[in-house]
Amino acid sequence: MTAATTRYALLGLLTAGERTGYELRAEAEASVGHFWREGYGRIYPNLRRLADEGLVITRTEPGRGGPERHLHRLTEAGWRELRDWLRRPVASGPPPRDELLLKLFLGRHADPGEGIALLHARRDLVAASLDRYREIAHALENEPEPDRTHWRITVRHGELLAQAALAWCDESIGALERLETREEPA
Amino acid sequence: MTAATTRYALLGLLTAGERTGYELRAEAEASVGHFWREGYGRIYPNLRRLADEGLVITRTEPGRGGPERHLHRLTEAGWRELRDWLRRPVASGPPPRDELLLKLFLGRHADPGEGIALLHARRDLVAASLDRYREIAHALENEPEPDRTHWRITVRHGELLAQAALAWCDESIGALERLETREEPA
DNA sequence: TCCAACATGTAAGGAGTTACATGATTTC
DNA sequence: GAAATCATGTAACTCCTTACATGTTGGA
């Protein structure tokens, strides 16, 4: 299994050109932030490893204020490794663990109102993320091909899944409300 | 953040009555397996901790063949802890990391056919899981309330999200196919 | 004057996976 | 005779998150 996917995320981000660790994090946040996040705790050690393995070369520039800038660039081997990875079947992710579902599953031990509250909270989050996906989708219209198609695919994933999650929240809230009125007869 | 959700999953499963670690794993697999999975490596240490904290009491029975059976039961404190947790807002899960999306996002560095292949593989997995959700949903019809409603909510989650994922796969395959024909003009 | 952005990293700790070790009984 | 089921646990390992430590420049 051994995902070690951070390596590949970094290689992927470096296809855009030479970057510092700091820049990689910021760009990850901005471009793939909705389905991928990296923190410094993973970025710096992994960049070091990639350099050790020769997939990346590091060039040092004097820092403009603050520490030196370490600029990383893909080597030929790095490009090969990335292309190779892109071709390999996707490793099955970690087993699912959805805390909300677990709580709802155990709903018989709680008041139905509590489940409804949890669902409303989730609904708000999902609705907000749906808005963001739609904004991104809109901004993407100006992007030239082939990136537009590829990027659009990832955004549409968020959009479609968020829509479904929203529908699920509404349906589930309705179901719990019906339970509630049935259990506490007027 | 400190999820430590395994504790609560175990408390939740023990609401069904006295169980051994072995049984808990099997029942988790059968009942909440689609959104929650536990292995022995987490179950046994956590049961020990729960016992130390007085949320569970353990009774030992001679094993029928093999080692002794350790049967665990919720204490009053255990029930309280569980009900308390059910009421608390859901902690935001781990940041998303979707390897397939990452690969598709970087699609410009690969052949469109490769992305299509990855999507077909995903599509097959999702279609299979959708079938399973529908079977479970069907089996649930005979369950008495209020469990039927609660359990149905978790199954519907799988069903609706799987449907959306399926639609996304099809749409994305279509988009990549159009790219393909555009790039390799007849 | 203070905060945000730029920029690097380490250390500690928690969570989770996998593989190993053991061994009887039941079923094919 | 082999394989699955019952049943316990540990140990090694990886991965990730969080907090800490440090320091400048430029803008509000």
Side-chain angles (χ1 to χ4, degrees), chain B residues 1-4 91-95:
Chain B
M1 184 139 293
T2 133
S92 68

Side-chain angles (χ1 to χ4, degrees), chain B residues 95-185:
Chain B
R97 326 196 94 217
D98 192 316
E99 201 183 316
L100 175 59
L101 291 187
L102 188 54
K103 289 190 180 191
L104 294 173
F105 183 83
L106 296 169
R108 76 129 84 227
H109 304 296
D111 190 273
E114 295 172 15
I116 294 175
L118 295 177
L119 281 162
H120 274 295
R122 169 68 63 100
R123 195 192 187 285
D124 288 347
L125 288 176
V126 172
S129 75
L130 184 54
D131 284 345
R132 275 210 29 251
Y133 288 126
R134 285 179 174 154
E135 278 171 36
I136 302 173
H138 188 255
L140 235 51
E141 297 304 323
N142 307 319
E143 210 63 38
E145 291 292 7
D147 282 339
R148 192 175 89 212
T149 293
H150 296 301
W151 297 356
R152 194 151 191 289
I153 283 174
T154 68
V155 177
R156 284 289 287 165
H157 182 271
E159 216 178 320
L160 288 172
L161 281 259
Q163 267 170 22
L166 215 53
W168 171 75
C169 285
D170 291 334
E171 176 185 302
S172 302
I173 289 169
L176 289 182
E177 281 172 351
R178 279 192 299 279
L179 250 198
E180 212 175 20
T181 55
R182 201 180 308 168
E183 274 174 5
E184 301 173 43

Side-chain angles (χ1 to χ4, degrees), chain B residues 49-62:
Chain B
R49 261 188 69 205
L50 290 172
D52 288 347
E53 294 170 33
L55 303 181
V56 142
I57 37 168
T58 307
R59 183 169 72 79
T60 298
E61 231 181 35

